[in-house]
Coordinates of all heavy atoms in Angstrom, one line a residue:
G8 N 97.1 103.1 97.7 CA 97.5 102.7 96.3 C 97.8 101.3 96.1 O 98.3 100.8 95.0
G28 N 88.3 97.2 96.0 CA 89.2 96.3 95.3 C 88.5 95.1 95.0 O 87.2 95.0 95.0
E29 N 89.2 94.0 94.7 CA 88.6 92.7 94.4 C 88.1 92.1 95.6 O 88.6 92.2 96.7 CB 89.8 91.8 93.8 CG 89.3 90.4 93.6 CD 90.5 89.4 93.2 OE1 91.6 89.9 93.2 OE2 90.2 88.3 92.9
T57 N 92.0 89.1 110.4 CA 91.5 89.7 111.6 C 90.2 89.0 112.0 O 89.3 88.7 111.2 CB 91.2 91.2 111.5 OG1 90.2 91.5 110.5 CG2 92.5 92.0 111.2
P63 N 92.6 74.8 109.9 CA 93.0 74.1 108.7 C 93.5 75.1 107.5 O 94.1 74.6 106.6 CB 91.7 73.4 108.2 CG 90.9 73.3 109.5 CD 91.2 74.4 110.3
E81 N 95.6 88.8 113.7 CA 95.0 89.1 115.0 C 93.7 88.5 115.2 O 92.7 88.7 114.3 CB 94.9 90.7 115.2 CG 94.2 91.0 116.5 CD 94.1 92.6 116.7 OE1 95.1 93.2 116.7 OE2 92.9 93.0 116.8
E88 N 86.3 84.0 126.1 CA 85.0 83.3 126.4 C 84.3 83.9 127.6 O 83.1 83.8 127.7 CB 85.1 81.8 126.5 CG 85.8 81.3 127.7 CD 87.4 81.4 127.7 OE1 87.9 81.9 126.7 OE2 88.0 80.9 128.7
L105 N 99.6 81.0 117.6 CA 100.1 81.6 116.4 C 101.5 81.4 116.2 O 102.0 81.1 115.1 CB 99.7 83.1 116.4 CG 98.4 83.5 116.1 CD1 98.2 85.1 116.1 CD2 97.9 83.0 114.8
G120 N 97.3 88.5 125.1 CA 96.7 88.8 126.4 C 95.5 89.7 126.3 O 94.8 89.7 125.2
P137 N 110.3 83.8 104.8 CA 111.7 83.9 104.4 C 111.8 83.9 102.9 O 111.1 83.2 102.2 CB 112.4 82.7 105.0 CG 111.5 82.3 106.1 CD 110.1 82.7 105.7
Y150 N 112.4 95.6 108.1 CA 111.1 95.3 108.8 C 110.9 96.3 110.0 O 110.2 95.9 110.9 CB 111.1 93.9 109.2 CG 111.0 93.0 108.0 CD1 112.1 92.2 107.7 CD2 109.9 92.9 107.3 CE1 112.0 91.3 106.6 CE2 109.8 92.1 106.2 CZ 110.9 91.3 105.9 OH 110.8 90.4 104.7

Side-chain angles (χ1 to χ4, degrees):
E29 177 187 3
T57 58
E81 176 180 300
E88 71 279 4
L105 281 180
Y150 290 109

